[in-house]
Amino acid sequence: HSHEFRPEVIRVTDGVWVAVGFSNANAVLIEGERGSIVVDTTSHVEDAKRVKAEFAKLSTAPVRAIIYTHSHPDHTGGASVFAGTDQPEIIAHRLFVDRVPDVGRAGRDGGDQFGSTLPDAQFINAGTGMEFGRHPAPTGFLPPTRTFSEDRLELTIAGVRLQLLHTPGETRENIAVW
């Protein structure tokens, strides 16, 4: 994983890019007519700053919305960086706010599976990222400003028609963005 996930921004299709390798989770930029949408915000402030700088090469449009796919810290930790002074709507499933966003070991039983308790001399990577769960970094988490409880939410943000689909899986509050 350490070599496979080199930091890069990949064009998915017109107006959609994904930043991989900058953090433990990807971040997505969707460019609309009147702004942009960020899906997931990386693990923490420093990773988010790096991704935001790369996204700024593609779009300088204000961020109109941040969408959290679920509550794990690798998806929510950089929100304040992407929000900046744009005051975007922050969207998640209602079940997201029913739980405290996970920190540290991502709220998982068996969190040691990521090597978080290994001595530094024995730690290579966590499989999902270089430092997952080992050294907590400054968080830029912002709470959702809009939630939905249904199985689907259809909306238009910055001229982009979206469907947010409740897709329980890794967590009960998971959503997919279409």
Side-chain angles (χ1 to χ4, degrees):
H1 266 192
S2 299
H3 299 292
E4 183 178 350
F5 291 105
R6 66 189 177 284
E8 65 179 319
V9 176
I10 301 167
R11 180 184 172 273
V12 177
T13 190
D14 290 343
V16 180
W17 296 271
V18 60
V20 300
F22 291 89
S23 194
N24 294 328
N26 302 333
V28 176
L29 173 68
I30 303 170
E31 187 176 32
E33 297 167 1
R34 296 176 295 283
S36 62
I37 303 159
V38 175
V39 179
D40 290 338
T41 64
T42 76
S43 297
H44 55 77
V45 168
E46 294 308 313
D47 289 350
K49 287 178 183 177
R50 292 174 50 214
V51 173
K52 185 176 181 178
E54 292 299 314
F55 283 172
K57 296 174 185 176
L58 303 167
S59 174
T60 58
V63 175
R64 299 294 185 206
I66 291 172
I67 300 171
Y68 291 142
T69 60
H70 65 287
S71 66
H72 286 163
D74 52 329
H75 297 261
T76 62
S80 64
V81 172
F82 289 103
T85 60
D86 294 337
Q87 299 181 328
E89 193 166 42
I90 301 173
I91 305 169
H93 195 274
R94 176 68 197 155
L95 292 171
F96 181 104
V97 298
D98 291 344
R99 27 181 316 149
V100 175
D102 294 323
V103 295
R105 291 168 32 155
R108 295 182 173 113
D109 292 333
D112 292 335
Q113 69 190 7
F114 298 112
S116 59
T117 59
L118 286 173
D120 286 342
Q122 294 178 355
F123 184 81
I124 298 168
N125 74 34
T128 59
M130 293 298 291
E131 292 290 319
F132 189 80
R134 290 178 62 82
H135 306 290
T139 183
F141 171 76
L142 296 172
T145 59
R146 179 177 183 180
T147 63
F148 67 102
S149 299
E150 302 78 23
D151 288 337
R152 172 190 317 240
L153 174 64
E154 296 185 21
L155 67 168
T156 301
I157 302 169
V160 178
R161 290 180 39 223
L162 299 169
Q163 291 182 38
L164 305 183
L165 307 168
H166 182 217
T167 53
E170 183 179 10
T171 64
R172 292 182 315 124
E173 74 276 6
N174 267 68
I175 62 171
V177 180
W178 178 257

